[in-house]
Amino acid sequence: MNRRDFMIDMGILGIATCLEWKEGEAIYGHNHKKYKWDRTWNGSHQTLPIKDAHEMVFTSDGRIVLLTNETKNNLIFFDKKGKITANWGKDFPGGHGLSLAGQVKDQSLFITDTDRHQFFQVSLDGQMIRTWDAPVETGKYKDIKEFVPTETAITADGEIYVADGYGAQFITHYGTDGKIKNIFGGRGDGDAFLDTAHGICIDTRNVPHTLIVTDRTRCCFKRYSMAGEYISSIHLPGANVCRPVIKGDYLYAAVLTSSSLSNSGFVVILDKEDKLISCIAGSTPMYKDGKAVLSYQTVQLFKHPHDVMIDDEDNLYVSQWNSGNVYPYKFTPWK
């Protein structure tokens, strides 16, 4: 599909395929994953400055945590009604990736900073626990500035995987002692290599567990063993995907742009068989000869969505990069 045909499809056909109206409200998404936009969430509480609303996590005690690159308040805490309950953090000018580790009272946050070329473990109240520098000892980096980490994923027993999504594209694996065990991926041609390895998660839906890594430039996710061996790719043509997020049987991801066009993002949801089943503000999922067809934005609900978070009631929260300093949007399931 050329650019002209793509834009015609977006402008003329898209709304009919994506948007439904139920009882006077817009319904976004497809199949059994449809949502209403809760326009009131946080509407009266946008008092703290933010730059890019990069990523979010949901703590065991029911708090929503947002990471921004605004050094007046890198971390903002909300309740599910959208009230800001706390904020802290002035040390992360390139705050980008936010992951949650640990169980219940032992939970902590992992933060990647693309400006500082480091990643950190911090407590929920802002106490620094540990700092990791660029993994130059692997021999893959000549200069610390080549390491631009974008995401972490942490196993139940505390092993860490770090995606260097804006740098040399390696995945570095650290043991429970915080020391490097392995490094794999990297920039290159071929299935096992990566280009914009923006996000990473641990897929616990099947045994053995596997890693799912973003390859945003190639519009796909790549699956690896926990030892770093390439297994397969999940192709989503047209969807420049950000980090994968697993909740229940589903994989959720923000799509930064449709085929790299500015202000054209949407959200995708895949089932346990890695099949695209819903697009929020995007085209109807379709397959031809067993392969996903081109996906694209159909309603400009988002500009550049960067992350998706799902709470314990299956509400969705979407944070955005370079979208006018907006706070996250909340979506409630429609049934």
Side-chain angles (χ1 to χ4, degrees):
M1 179 180 288
N2 62 37
R3 180 183 173 90
R4 177 179 177 276
D5 291 340
F6 175 74
M7 294 304 293
I8 289 173
D9 276 355
M10 287 183 68
I12 298 176
L13 301 179
I15 292 178
T17 63
C18 171
L19 189 61
E20 296 182 32
W21 291 90
K22 302 292 183 182
E23 301 176 356
E25 293 185 278
I27 307 301
Y28 302 94
H30 305 89
N31 298 310
H32 57 284
K33 287 293 185 179
K34 297 179 181 179
Y35 299 87
K36 294 187 297 183
W37 178 16
D38 182 354
R39 293 172 180 263
T40 66
W41 192 82
N42 200 48
S44 61
H45 300 286
Q46 297 184 19
T47 56
L48 295 176
I50 61 173
K51 290 183 180 179
D52 299 304
H54 270 146
E55 294 194 341
M56 308 180 79
V57 295
F58 187 68
T59 67
S60 61
D61 58 2
R63 291 185 288 171
I64 296 163
V65 189
L66 169 68
L67 174 68
T68 80
N69 51 359
E70 171 56 72
T71 52
K72 294 178 181 178
N73 40 252
N74 284 130
L75 280 295
I76 303 174
F77 292 70
F78 305 86
D79 63 21
K80 287 196 292 185
K81 294 182 179 179
K83 181 180 179 181
I84 295 173
T85 60
N87 66 284
W88 54 261
K90 298 181 180 180
D91 299 321
F92 308 113
H96 186 277
L98 180 68
S99 300
L100 193 64
Q103 303 294 324
V104 193
K105 293 182 180 181
D106 293 328
Q107 287 190 314
S108 61
L109 301 170
F110 278 75
I111 296 171
T112 65
D113 192 304
T114 55
D115 286 7
R116 294 181 60 177
H117 308 281
Q118 296 171 307
F119 68 99
F120 311 86
Q121 182 184 12
V122 298
S123 68
L124 288 172
D125 61 0
Q127 301 301 309
M128 188 67 69
I129 298 172
R130 187 164 183 175
T131 300
W132 285 265
D133 296 321
V136 292
E137 61 268 44
T138 63
K140 303 294 185 181
Y141 297 89
K142 296 180 180 179
D143 188 284
I144 61 171
K145 292 184 178 180
E146 295 177 349
F147 180 62
V148 192
T150 50
E151 195 67 72
T152 60
I154 300 90
T155 66
D157 61 358
E159 297 201 354
I160 307 162
Y161 293 83
V162 182
D164 181 16
Y166 290 162
Q169 309 300 314
F170 288 102
I171 308 299
T172 307
H173 177 193
Y174 296 78
T176 55
D177 58 1
K179 297 180 180 180
I180 294 173
K181 292 181 64 175
N182 189 21
I183 189 166
F184 58 94
R187 184 178 286 106
D189 294 325
D191 290 336
F193 297 100
L194 297 160
D195 194 346
T196 317
H198 188 270
I200 184 171
C201 76
I202 300 167
D203 190 350
T204 59
R205 294 173 295 176
N206 293 297
V207 178
H209 296 171
T210 55
L211 297 167
I212 299 179
V213 182
T214 303
D215 191 326
R216 194 164 72 189
T217 300
R218 298 185 178 104
C219 296
C220 70
F221 293 114
K222 291 186 174 179
R223 190 181 297 277
Y224 296 83
S225 72
M226 300 302 288
E229 300 158 333
Y230 171 81
I231 298 172
S232 61
S233 295
I234 306 167
H235 293 284
L236 297 167
N240 299 113
V241 286
C242 295
R243 77 155 160 179
V245 177
I246 303 293
K247 176 66 163 58
D249 285 339
Y250 300 95
L251 184 156
Y252 303 77
V255 175
L256 190 73
T257 56
S258 305
S259 296
S260 301
L261 299 172
S262 295
N263 302 325
S264 64
F266 55 100
V267 170
V268 292
I269 305 174
L270 287 70
D271 65 15
K272 198 173 181 179
E273 284 69 48
D274 298 333
K275 184 176 181 180
L276 180 63
I277 60 168
S278 184
C279 294
I280 300 173
S283 54
T284 302
M286 296 181 65
Y287 282 77
K288 183 177 181 180
D289 299 327
K291 297 179 180 180
V293 303
L294 185 79
S295 295
Y296 49 87
Q297 184 192 74
T298 55
V299 179
Q300 199 173 69
L301 177 62
F302 309 112
K303 290 186 177 181
H304 300 109
H306 192 270
D307 192 32
V308 180
M309 192 215 76
I310 308 93
D311 69 18
D312 57 350
E313 296 178 314
D314 286 333
N315 298 307
L316 265 62
Y317 304 78
V318 181
S319 51
Q320 298 190 71
W321 166 81
N322 191 24
S323 300
N325 312 121
V326 296
Y327 273 60
Y329 294 172
K330 178 181 179 179
F331 295 85
T332 58
W334 182 83
K335 298 179 181 180

